[in-house]
């Protein structure tokens, strides 16, 4: 297509991802209460992944041929690590198991690429052999991570349909990462590889849209909380009340508190530690100018 190696499906995903990023940027500028910076970064990485993986390699590229694969693999590795980082933030995960922090995962992926791909390539001058040596171990590790992540967030009995939908979509994203090495071993079939990877972006996009609709659905329950900021701006209060916009995670916790759920149940529903819930609650109380949970419920819980 266009005299390059890009397939029409990859070009379609490139255009689609670009439109999503532009719409998100426009929306984020209009809605200051909804921070979408991480999602914008993710979208930009997907655009870079589609562009580099779609247009490269080309014969007239300056420099050695392997440089093009360093660029494409480098962007792909950065994208996969960032997807995991995105989901870590989504679920307030610091470490799953085996010291699988984001920093360690990034070091493992980068080190594996150097040792299992670049070094064999320079020794054998065989791209296929290097690709095989690199992708097989990474694929095994990716599927191990997929199993760990599934066990971490799996709770079919969760009564919150929003949380259940988010879990399923998150699993689609992680499964796409796990399948990427296998698609790479199969060969340069862009329509397969880029479809699998872009499913991850579309799944995360669906998470964000679903979250937005969930907040709209519960907007009346949070109205007094959101209106407090406007009230403080318009009125001169004798005592200083500290208030900033709630993060999206804090809104989820606030909605659960307004449902009179205990911190233990909130932690179970959102797959986070009870101490994390307590930390979010403390931030919520500080931002809304109350001292504790009792005052928060007294001020903001809808009277029946």
């Amino acid at each position: 297509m266009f005299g390059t190696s890009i397939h029409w499906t990859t070009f379609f995903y490139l255009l689609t991802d670009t439109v999503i990023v532009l719409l998100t940027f426009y929306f984020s500028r209009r809605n200051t209460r909804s921070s979408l910076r991480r999602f914008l970064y993710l979208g930009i990485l997907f655009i870079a992944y589609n562009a580099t993986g779609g247009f490269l390699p080309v014969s007239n590229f300056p420099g050695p041929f392997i440089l093009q694969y360093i660029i494409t693999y480098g962007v792909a590795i950065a994208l996969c690590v960032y997807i995991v980082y995105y989901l870590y933030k989504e679920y307030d995960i610091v470490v799953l198991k085996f010291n699988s922090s984001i920093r360690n995962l990034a070091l493992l992926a980068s080190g594996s690429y150097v040792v299992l791909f670049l070094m064999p390539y320079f020794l054998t001058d065989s791209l296929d052999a290097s690709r095989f040596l690199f992708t097989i171990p990474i694929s095994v590790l990716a599927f191990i991570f997929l199993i760990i992540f599934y066990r971490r967030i799996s709770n079919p009995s969760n009564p919150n349909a929003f949380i259940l939908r988010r879990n399923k979509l998150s699993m689609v994203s992680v499964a796409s990462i796990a399948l990427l090495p296998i698609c790479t071993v199969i060969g340069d079939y862009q329509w397969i590889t880029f479809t699998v990877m872009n499913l991850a972006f579309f799944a995360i996009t669906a998470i964000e849209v679903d979250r937005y609709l969930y907040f709209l659905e519960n907007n009346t329950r949070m109205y007094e909380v959101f209106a407090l900021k406007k009230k403080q701006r318009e009125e001169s209060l004798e005592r200083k009340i500290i208030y900033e916009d709630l993060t999206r995670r804090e809104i989820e916790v606030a909605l659960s508190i307004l449902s009179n759920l205990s911190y233990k149940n909130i932690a179970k529903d959102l797959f986070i530690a009870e101490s994390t819930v307590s930390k979010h609650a403390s931030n919520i109380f500080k931002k809304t100018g109350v001292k504790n949970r009792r005052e928060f419920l007294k001020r903001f819980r809808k009277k029946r």
Side-chain angles (χ1 to χ4, degrees), residues 5 10 31 49 53 60 65 74 124 139 149 211 216 218 235 259 275 277 289:
S5 60
T10 308
N31 190 349
Y49 170 76
N60 58 349
F65 183 74
T124 64
S139 180
F149 187 80
R211 190 206 306 264
L216 283 182
N218 291 275
E235 298 179 3
S259 298
S275 59
V277 176

Side-chain angles (χ1 to χ4, degrees), residues 1-176:
M1 190 173 183
F2 306 125
T4 68
S5 60
I6 191 169
H7 193 269
W8 70 266
T9 54
T10 308
F11 185 72
F12 170 77
Y13 295 136
L14 178 61
L15 291 179
T16 304
D17 295 351
T18 302
V19 170
I20 292 174
V21 168
L22 291 176
L23 288 175
T24 303
F25 179 73
Y26 173 75
F27 178 81
S28 64
R29 287 173 62 88
R30 294 187 59 189
N31 190 349
T32 56
R33 193 167 56 237
S34 179
S35 174
L36 294 170
R37 183 176 300 176
R38 280 200 304 268
F39 183 76
L40 283 171
Y41 291 157
L42 180 68
I44 292 170
L45 274 174
F46 265 99
I47 291 173
Y49 170 76
N50 290 326
T52 56
F55 287 105
L56 298 179
V58 293
S59 57
N60 58 349
F61 191 86
F65 183 74
I66 189 61
L67 180 61
Q68 300 184 60
Y69 280 91
I70 292 176
I71 294 173
T72 55
Y73 275 64
V75 172
I77 291 171
L79 174 60
C80 291
V81 171
Y82 195 84
I83 291 174
V84 176
Y85 164 77
Y86 193 98
L87 296 176
Y88 266 42
K89 289 295 183 180
E90 182 73 24
Y91 291 97
D92 289 318
I93 299 172
V94 177
V95 173
L96 288 173
K97 286 184 179 180
F98 312 116
N99 295 319
S100 55
S101 65
I102 293 299
R103 179 175 177 271
N104 290 342
L105 287 174
L107 290 174
L108 176 63
S110 302
S112 299
Y113 179 64
V114 172
V115 175
L116 299 177
F117 183 85
L118 290 181
M119 290 180 63
Y121 175 80
F122 287 117
L123 291 174
T124 64
D125 200 30
S126 172
L127 185 62
D128 291 335
S130 302
R131 180 183 294 166
F132 183 81
L133 287 173
F134 171 64
T135 53
I136 295 302
I138 290 296
S139 180
V140 172
L141 292 176
F143 274 98
I144 291 175
F145 179 81
L146 176 64
I147 295 171
I148 295 173
F149 187 80
Y150 173 76
R151 290 178 177 175
R152 175 66 176 82
I153 70 170
S154 178
N155 182 11
S157 62
N158 193 321
N160 192 324
F162 163 70
I163 300 297
L164 291 176
R165 289 194 300 270
R166 182 166 62 183
N167 294 345
K168 293 176 181 178
L169 292 168
S170 297
M171 286 303 302
V172 171
S173 300
V174 178
S176 297

Side-chain angles (χ1 to χ4, degrees), residues 218 220-221 255 258-260 300-304:
N218 291 275
T220 55
R221 296 172 63 197
L255 286 170
L258 291 174
S259 298
N260 211 28
F300 299 115
R301 193 177 185 192
K302 185 177 179 181
K303 304 296 187 298
R304 295 185 180 276

